[in-house]
Amino acid sequence: MRFIVYGAGAVGGVLGAYLHLSGQSVVLVARGEHLAAIRGHGLTLQDGSGSRTMAVPVVAGPAEIAWQDGDVVLLAVKGQDTEAALRDLAACAPAATPVVCLQNGVDNERQALRAFEHVYGVCVMSPTTHLTPGVVRADCHPVPGLLDIGRFPSGVDATAESVAAAFRKAGYRSEPRPDIMRWKYGKLLRNVGNAVDAVCGRAEGVREIVARIRAEAAAVLDAAGIAYTPEDEDDARRADILKAVVADSRGGGSSWQSLARGTGHIEADHLSGEIVLLARLHGQTAPYNENARRWANRFAREGRAPASLPPGEWLATLPEAA
């Protein structure tokens, strides 16, 4: 089994590094300055044991890969980049290549299934950071994350078992789960707060806003009849496994990091935006999630600094009905 990690940023870069360190075959797909840094100096992994730089094979795109039997794609790009990544992969990789969606959100697997026969979802619980080209950081140690996996739309097969075993060999906790999308919808409820974390940071009043966003999202999933893991089940899975190397070591989550790196785009349409879409499909409204989506996109589009919006200003743009 050879892992093609498409998207070697925070989650993908850290996982690729640990897979490589555990003796497994890995090829990273990166872009821009990150690609140049890895090619020129190697990939640097920072974690609780220190800093290591390693020579991991890296390419600019799937066309540079000599595809072979046993290849497995670990798709680790943000949701807004999924369509383009799948288009590139479909032009080169055999349709029978397993595609493992190592992503937040719940629409990536559905997109992948249009182009590939064997698609798997992963519920990613792995705090990581990527702000500097060529450098990725695991923010939990000694276990860098939980990566439970299942076949999409449901079920477990030999590939899911093998990938889970590879993740465990790399130091992660990973269980095959036939109901992986229930877990991913549960994770979505945690991720809908990412957009507010990105634009408002951790100022006073943010927790209350996030609580309302999550409550609204849960109500929308209930109205749509979509099953999700409740918070206590999710907490029990994490238990005492994920231990932060330094308390509050990350400046912010994945959406905050997108703004900090000035990428010009953000994942909000595939997190809070997913709730907005479901609400509209089922005759509901989701003003808190819509406001979260709009502000995050505005910050990304205008290149505004993360955590610079006062929570009061965020609340002032809600519709009166909210």
Side-chain angles (χ1 to χ4, degrees), residues 102-244:
L102 201 81
Q103 302 161 283
N104 288 328
V106 293
D107 191 52
N108 303 293
E109 291 82 2
R110 185 172 177 269
Q111 293 184 60
L113 202 59
R114 288 194 175 105
F116 293 91
E117 300 173 37
H118 307 292
V119 175
Y120 302 81
V122 173
C123 184
V124 179
M125 303 181 195
S126 183
T128 52
T129 298
H130 167 53
L131 297 174
T132 304
V135 181
V136 293
R137 189 178 77 207
D139 291 302
C140 288
H141 187 79
V143 178
L146 305 175
L147 301 176
D148 291 347
I149 182 173
R151 190 176 175 93
F152 180 78
S154 62
V156 168
D157 60 11
T159 297
E161 297 275 4
S162 296
V163 174
F167 289 163
R168 291 194 296 270
K169 183 179 179 183
Y172 290 77
R173 299 289 180 89
S174 182
E175 294 182 10
R177 294 190 180 275
D179 60 343
I180 192 61
M181 294 311 294
R182 185 175 74 93
W183 286 85
K184 294 203 71 168
Y185 274 102
K187 180 70 187 310
L188 177 64
L189 290 182
R190 288 183 178 261
N191 288 142
V192 290
N194 288 11
V196 179
D197 170 73
V199 302
C200 296
R202 296 165 183 173
E204 184 178 353
V206 168
R207 285 189 178 183
E208 290 79 2
I209 293 173
V210 171
R212 293 182 184 184
I213 289 173
R214 288 176 175 171
E216 180 182 84
V220 169
L221 293 184
D222 290 340
I226 295 174
Y228 55 88
T229 50
E231 191 169 343
D232 58 348
E233 187 175 0
D234 196 58
D235 288 341
R237 175 64 180 120
R238 297 168 187 248
D240 294 325
I241 296 172
L242 298 181
K243 301 180 186 297

Side-chain angles (χ1 to χ4, degrees), residues 284-305:
Q284 306 287 314
T285 60
Y288 276 87
N289 280 273
E290 172 64 3
N291 208 43
R293 185 192 71 80
R294 286 180 179 274
W295 269 114
N297 282 325
R298 178 177 174 181
F299 263 58
R301 184 173 59 251
E302 297 176 358
R304 294 173 64 169

Side-chain angles (χ1 to χ4, degrees), residues 32-53:
E33 293 181 2
H34 193 43
L35 168 66
I38 297 172
R39 276 181 167 166
H41 310 289
L43 176 66
T44 297
L45 170 67
Q46 300 172 342
D47 62 15
S49 64
S51 180
R52 288 162 285 182
T53 300

